[in-house]
């Protein structure tokens, strides 16, 4: 029912009070990293279908940083000199958000706005919580069991301190929902790893540990972290509706800012 109401509101939003159609909104370009795992691409496409269902009439496109097609430069080239809001399908602010995506956008003719990473944000914590619940996690009601419980938030990892700070903030947001400690851990580059985080929690008497997969889609890192889980492990976030709502939230807040000039406009200035 909520999705139907949102869909109807999206269609009505395309028409003014005097019955005329509003100008077309900037395109939403979801920027995924790319993966050699074929499940990742199908999962991202499913997520974009949820976004389209929530916002009919909004042009929604996909572009990858690497490994999968369409690549972001090709997606932007197809838009010509049109307007687009680029929303990274990335869960923290690291090198791709700071450098790769802006560099690709700067070389395109399209007039672009760049949204921040999806996390940290309460909607991301909502999706993580929902996936844990689907996997069987329940915060214990009795204090003794709660004192033995914790969650490891498994993320990809980055050398960028802003990325790690964002993941730590997401862990705090999730902890606020769960009522137990949540420790950030990483698949690569950063420390601690998931096994190290589990061992550290066990040393503190917290031997009832679940792993929350802070990954947008299945892939090598998500699989490796799941294999290191001592018990309950959630699925990647995938096409959860909270993720679609978060993509649209980043789109909306960024669409209200001025667009960057097209590369052709800069060249002729």
């Amino acid at each position: 029912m909520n999705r139907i109401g949102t869909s109807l509101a999206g269609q009505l939003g395309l028409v003014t009070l005097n019955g005329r159609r509003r100008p077309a909104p900037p395109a939403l370009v979801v920027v995924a990293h790319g993966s050699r795992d074929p499940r990742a691409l199908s999962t991202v496409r499913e997520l974009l279908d949820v976004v389209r269902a929530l916002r009919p009439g909004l042009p929604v496109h996909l572009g990858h940083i690497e490994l999968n097609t369409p690549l972001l430069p090709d997606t932007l080239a197809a838009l010509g000199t049109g307007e687009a809001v680029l929303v990274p399908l990335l869960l923290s602010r690291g090198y791709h958000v700071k450098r790769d995506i802006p560099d690709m956008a700067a070389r395109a003719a399209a007039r672009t706005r760049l949204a921040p990473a999806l996390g940290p944000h309460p909607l991301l914590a909502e999706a993580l919580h929902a996936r844990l619940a689907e996997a069987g996690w329940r915060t214990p009601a009795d204090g003794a069991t709660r004192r033995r419980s914790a969650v490891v938030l498994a993320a990809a990892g980055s050398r960028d301190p802003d990325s790690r700070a964002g993941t730590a903030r997401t862990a705090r947001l999730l902890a606020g929902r769960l009522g137990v400690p949540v420790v950030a851990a990483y698949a690569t580059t950063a420390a601690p790893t998931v096994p190290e985080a589990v061992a550290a929690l066990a040393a503190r008497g917290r031997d009832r540990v679940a792993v929350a997969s802070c990954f947008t889609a299945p892939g090598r890192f998500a699989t490796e972290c799941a294999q290191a889980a001592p018990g309950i492990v959630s699925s990647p976030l995938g096409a959860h509706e909270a993720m679609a709502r978060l993509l649209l939230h980043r789109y909306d807040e960024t669409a209200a800012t001025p667009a960057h000039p097209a590369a052709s406009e800069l060249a002729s200035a």
Side-chain angles (χ1 to χ4, degrees):
M1 183 63 69
N2 287 341
R3 186 176 294 182
I4 293 172
T6 304
S7 173
L8 180 59
Q11 294 179 52
L12 292 175
L14 297 176
V15 182
T16 63
L17 292 176
N18 62 10
R20 296 178 181 176
R21 288 189 66 84
R22 299 180 187 275
L28 164 59
V29 177
V30 176
V31 186
H33 182 276
S35 172
R36 292 183 176 86
D37 191 317
R39 296 173 298 170
L41 181 56
S42 62
T43 299
V44 172
R45 286 175 171 163
E46 184 182 354
L47 175 60
L48 266 60
D49 286 342
V50 178
V51 172
R52 294 184 181 103
L54 290 174
R55 190 70 60 87
L58 176 65
V60 179
H61 304 276
L62 174 62
H64 293 92
I65 297 170
E66 60 181 355
L67 299 176
N68 292 123
T69 57
L71 292 170
L72 179 57
D74 297 328
T75 297
L76 294 177
L79 294 175
T81 57
E83 291 189 60
V85 174
L86 278 55
V87 181
L89 188 58
L90 301 170
L91 303 180
S92 61
R93 183 172 181 262
Y95 186 85
H96 292 312
V97 175
K98 292 179 178 180
R99 294 294 300 275
D100 286 338
I101 298 174
D103 286 351
M104 292 177 190
R107 292 193 294 269
R111 291 167 290 161
T112 58
R113 301 171 175 90
L114 308 181
L118 296 185
H121 193 275
L123 282 170
L124 178 56
E126 178 183 332
L128 289 163
H129 188 183
R131 290 299 190 216
L132 273 173
E134 291 169 1
W137 169 267
R138 298 293 182 273
T139 299
D142 64 288
T145 306
R146 190 180 298 116
R147 286 189 291 272
R148 294 177 42 233
S149 302
V151 169
V152 171
L153 181 68
S158 172
R159 293 184 178 88
D160 192 299
D162 288 340
S163 177
R164 295 194 298 275
T167 302
R169 175 72 190 282
T170 297
R172 292 194 293 272
L173 289 171
L174 183 58
R177 296 181 67 97
L178 298 178
V180 299
V182 177
V183 176
Y186 304 96
T188 185
T189 307
T193 64
V194 172
E196 288 169 347
V198 170
L201 287 166
R204 291 158 45 192
R206 295 190 180 269
D207 55 3
R208 181 181 180 268
V209 177
V211 171
S213 295
C214 195
F215 301 99
T216 56
R220 178 169 65 90
F221 288 160
T223 299
E224 290 174 354
C225 289
Q227 291 171 344
I232 289 173
V233 58
S234 65
S235 300
L237 297 161
H240 193 279
E241 187 172 307
M243 291 292 289
R245 289 190 281 125
L246 180 50
L247 282 167
L248 287 170
H249 169 74
R250 292 298 194 211
Y251 169 87
D252 288 336
E253 65 180 3
T254 305
T257 65
H260 299 296
S264 57
E265 295 174 4
L266 291 173
S268 61

